[in-house]
mmCIF file of all heavy atoms in Angstrom:
data_model
loop_
_atom_site.group_PDB
_atom_site.id
_atom_site.type_symbol
_atom_site.label_atom_id
_atom_site.label_comp_id
_atom_site.label_asym_id
_atom_site.label_seq_id
_atom_site.Cartn_x
_atom_site.Cartn_y
_atom_site.Cartn_z
ATOM 1 N N ALA A 137 92.311 100.401 104.707
ATOM 2 C CA ALA A 137 91.407 99.355 105.194
ATOM 3 C C ALA A 137 89.945 99.768 105.104
ATOM 4 O O ALA A 137 89.063 98.914 105.085
ATOM 5 C CB ALA A 137 91.754 98.987 106.633
ATOM 6 N N ALA A 138 89.674 101.063 104.998
ATOM 7 C CA ALA A 138 88.291 101.515 104.837
ATOM 8 C C ALA A 138 87.775 101.217 103.430
ATOM 9 O O ALA A 138 86.572 101.105 103.223
ATOM 10 C CB ALA A 138 88.181 103.010 105.122
ATOM 11 N N LEU A 139 88.679 101.070 102.470
ATOM 12 C CA LEU A 139 88.300 100.806 101.084
ATOM 13 C C LEU A 139 88.595 99.380 100.644
ATOM 14 O O LEU A 139 87.883 98.823 99.816
ATOM 15 C CB LEU A 139 89.023 101.772 100.148
ATOM 16 C CG LEU A 139 88.778 103.258 100.376
ATOM 17 C CD1 LEU A 139 89.652 104.091 99.456
ATOM 18 C CD2 LEU A 139 87.311 103.599 100.174
ATOM 19 N N ILE A 140 89.678 98.819 101.181
ATOM 20 C CA ILE A 140 90.109 97.472 100.810
ATOM 21 C C ILE A 140 90.192 96.643 102.084
ATOM 22 O O ILE A 140 91.051 96.903 102.934
ATOM 23 C CB ILE A 140 91.486 97.495 100.113
ATOM 24 C CG1 ILE A 140 91.468 98.422 98.896
ATOM 25 C CG2 ILE A 140 91.909 96.087 99.719
ATOM 26 C CD1 ILE A 140 92.845 98.691 98.314
ATOM 27 N N PRO A 141 89.315 95.661 102.267
ATOM 28 C CA PRO A 141 89.361 94.831 103.479
ATOM 29 C C PRO A 141 90.741 94.180 103.652
ATOM 30 O O PRO A 141 91.432 93.886 102.669
ATOM 31 C CB PRO A 141 88.288 93.772 103.232
ATOM 32 C CG PRO A 141 87.389 94.358 102.188
ATOM 33 C CD PRO A 141 88.250 95.249 101.351
ATOM 34 N N ASN A 142 91.127 93.957 104.895
ATOM 35 C CA ASN A 142 92.448 93.382 105.192
ATOM 36 C C ASN A 142 92.734 92.118 104.390
ATOM 37 O O ASN A 142 93.847 91.915 103.922
ATOM 38 C CB ASN A 142 92.585 93.097 106.684
ATOM 39 C CG ASN A 142 92.767 94.362 107.489
ATOM 40 O OD1 ASN A 142 92.943 95.452 106.945
ATOM 41 N ND2 ASN A 142 92.720 94.234 108.806
ATOM 42 N N ALA A 143 91.736 91.263 104.215
ATOM 43 C CA ALA A 143 91.939 90.004 103.494
ATOM 44 C C ALA A 143 92.288 90.229 102.021
ATOM 45 O O ALA A 143 92.928 89.390 101.396
ATOM 46 C CB ALA A 143 90.700 89.130 103.605
ATOM 47 N N GLU A 144 91.894 91.372 101.464
ATOM 48 C CA GLU A 144 92.154 91.673 100.052
ATOM 49 C C GLU A 144 93.408 92.525 99.842
ATOM 50 O O GLU A 144 93.842 92.729 98.703
ATOM 51 C CB GLU A 144 90.936 92.377 99.447
ATOM 52 C CG GLU A 144 89.694 91.510 99.417
ATOM 53 C CD GLU A 144 88.465 92.262 98.938
ATOM 54 O OE1 GLU A 144 88.615 93.278 98.235
ATOM 55 O OE2 GLU A 144 87.349 91.823 99.276
ATOM 56 N N GLN A 145 93.981 93.043 100.918
ATOM 57 C CA GLN A 145 95.118 93.930 100.778
ATOM 58 C C GLN A 145 96.352 93.276 100.158
ATOM 59 O O GLN A 145 97.038 93.908 99.349
ATOM 60 C CB GLN A 145 95.458 94.584 102.117
ATOM 61 C CG GLN A 145 94.406 95.602 102.501
ATOM 62 C CD GLN A 145 94.758 96.391 103.735
ATOM 63 O OE1 GLN A 145 95.834 96.281 104.299
ATOM 64 N NE2 GLN A 145 93.816 97.217 104.163
ATOM 65 N N PRO A 146 96.674 92.007 100.474
ATOM 66 C CA PRO A 146 97.841 91.400 99.815
ATOM 67 C C PRO A 146 97.719 91.382 98.289
ATOM 68 O O PRO A 146 98.699 91.651 97.584
ATOM 69 C CB PRO A 146 97.888 89.983 100.400
ATOM 70 C CG PRO A 146 97.271 90.131 101.759
ATOM 71 C CD PRO A 146 96.159 91.131 101.541
ATOM 72 N N MET A 147 96.534 91.109 97.761
ATOM 73 C CA MET A 147 96.377 91.075 96.308
ATOM 74 C C MET A 147 96.445 92.475 95.705
ATOM 75 O O MET A 147 96.981 92.666 94.614
ATOM 76 C CB MET A 147 95.079 90.375 95.915
ATOM 77 C CG MET A 147 95.075 88.895 96.259
ATOM 78 S SD MET A 147 96.621 87.993 95.862
ATOM 79 C CE MET A 147 96.713 88.175 94.119
ATOM 80 N N ALA A 148 95.920 93.459 96.416
ATOM 81 C CA ALA A 148 96.033 94.850 95.947
ATOM 82 C C ALA A 148 97.499 95.253 95.896
ATOM 83 O O ALA A 148 97.953 95.907 94.943
ATOM 84 C CB ALA A 148 95.238 95.787 96.858
#
Side-chain angles (χ1 to χ4, degrees):
L139 301 175
I140 304 169
N142 286 352
E144 296 175 23
Q145 289 186 5
M147 293 316 298

